Amino acid sequence: DGGITQSPKYLFRKEGQNVTLSCEQNLNHDAMYWYRQDPGQGLRLIYYSQIVNDFQKGDIAEGYSVSREKKESFPLTVTSAQKNPTAFYLCASSIDRSTGWTQYFGPGTRLLVL
Amino acid sequence: SQQGEEDPQALSIQEGENATMNCSYKTSINNLQWYRQNSGRGLVHLILIRSNEREKHSGRLRVTLDTSKKSSSLLITASRAADTASYFCATEYFQIQGAQKLVFGQGTRLTINP
């Protein structure tokens, strides 16, 4: 089965703690993305990566960090500097311009603060 | 912000009726896409319309694009209870260089009443 997996489904963070959200894809897509979604809102781009070992900040990168060491994996770390991390986090991947950068989404991780 | 705006924010109709959602954007685009999100899930791509196209169909979906008005509409005909979801438009803006990305609207919450 080809697709994008995100884990865990729910994640709890304590004050001052860094947490890492996993995103893996076996679609052989070059581009990967992380979005944040707040209740009743649209998606806001956190980070994106076109190729391995390269990534770009999105609109709300402060308090987050990423790595892209493998084509299949694009983990997101929510650092203690992110003061309001409670949200639904979505990972996506896309092929290239020929598809208009059509994105395939994972099932999401809901992050809650204890 | 380059983010598109969707209208209405919420729409409730009876099963069998048609549902129309609108999306407006601010600058020239390469393409516009529509996605669906069931509650608590990832987004699913529905349809893409390129800037040189005016109308596209996919099953019960009809999308129009008016680049002079910078707007698009999504029509779902003969609605079903399973169409209950949030619908998002996403635009790919022309960028001279750098990684491409989509900008998502705030979404329309559609409820189909049996």
Side-chain angles (χ1 to χ4, degrees):
Chain A
D1 251 351
I4 300 181
T5 58
Q6 290 186 244
S7 62
K9 187 173 182 179
Y10 295 95
L11 185 57
F12 299 91
R13 193 190 92 164
K14 296 179 181 178
E15 292 285 340
Q17 186 182 41
N18 293 354
V19 292
T20 297
L21 285 63
S22 170
C23 177
E24 303 277 332
Q25 55 100 357
N26 61 4
L27 299 169
N28 199 33
H29 289 174
D30 285 316
M32 296 187 75
Y33 309 80
W34 272 106
Y35 295 94
R36 170 179 172 143
Q37 186 178 33
D38 292 284
Q41 301 295 311
L43 278 64
R44 291 187 290 168
L45 183 63
I46 305 173
Y47 269 98
Y48 59 109
S49 168
Q50 281 296 98
I51 57 172
V52 174
N53 293 322
D54 185 54
F55 48 82
Q56 310 291 330
K57 290 183 179 180
D59 301 317
I60 55 165
E62 185 173 350
Y64 300 97
S65 66
V66 293
S67 63
R68 188 85 187 277
E69 297 176 0
K70 297 188 299 182
K71 187 175 184 177
E72 303 80 21
S73 178
F74 191 39
L76 172 74
T77 296
V78 184
T79 74
S80 56
Q82 172 50 244
K83 298 306 179 187
N84 183 25
T86 297
F88 189 49
Y89 291 86
L90 287 161
C91 179
S93 68
S94 65
I95 303 174
D96 58 27
R97 179 179 298 284
S98 68
T99 68
W101 303 102
T102 295
Q103 299 192 2
Y104 297 77
F105 284 82
T109 292
R110 192 166 299 279
L111 177 60
L112 301 165
V113 177
L114 293 175
Chain B
S1 166
Q2 294 176 322
Q3 191 173 48
E5 295 182 1
E6 297 189 55
D7 171 59
Q9 289 188 333
L11 178 62
S12 181
I13 61 174
Q14 295 300 119
E15 194 167 16
E17 295 180 340
N18 295 342
T20 299
M21 290 157 270
N22 303 294
C23 171
S24 60
Y25 56 91
K26 296 181 181 177
T27 63
S28 296
I29 60 172
N30 291 330
N31 69 70
L32 185 144
Q33 305 180 33
W34 286 90
Y35 289 79
R36 185 179 86 180
Q37 183 182 34
N38 289 89
S39 182
R41 310 289 291 272
L43 278 69
V44 174
H45 178 258
L46 295 175
I47 195 166
L48 177 151
I49 186 165
R50 300 190 184 276
S51 59
N52 60 353
E53 297 175 314
R54 293 297 168 258
E55 187 171 312
K56 279 190 87 168
H57 297 256
S58 178
R60 294 183 294 113
L61 305 181
R62 173 178 167 248
V63 169
T64 60
L65 179 64
D66 186 335
T67 53
S68 66
K69 295 181 179 178
K70 294 186 172 58
S71 68
S72 173
S73 68
L74 170 67
L75 168 67
I76 303 175
T77 60
S79 63
R80 305 168 181 169
D83 294 328
T84 294
S86 291
Y87 292 82
F88 295 88
C89 67
T91 48
E92 183 205 348
Y93 291 89
F94 175 73
Q95 297 183 93
I96 296 174
Q97 62 182 11
Q100 299 302 316
K101 55 186 179 180
L102 300 181
V103 179
F104 286 82
Q106 298 289 326
T108 293
R109 293 187 303 281
L110 175 65
T111 302
I112 308 300
N113 301 304

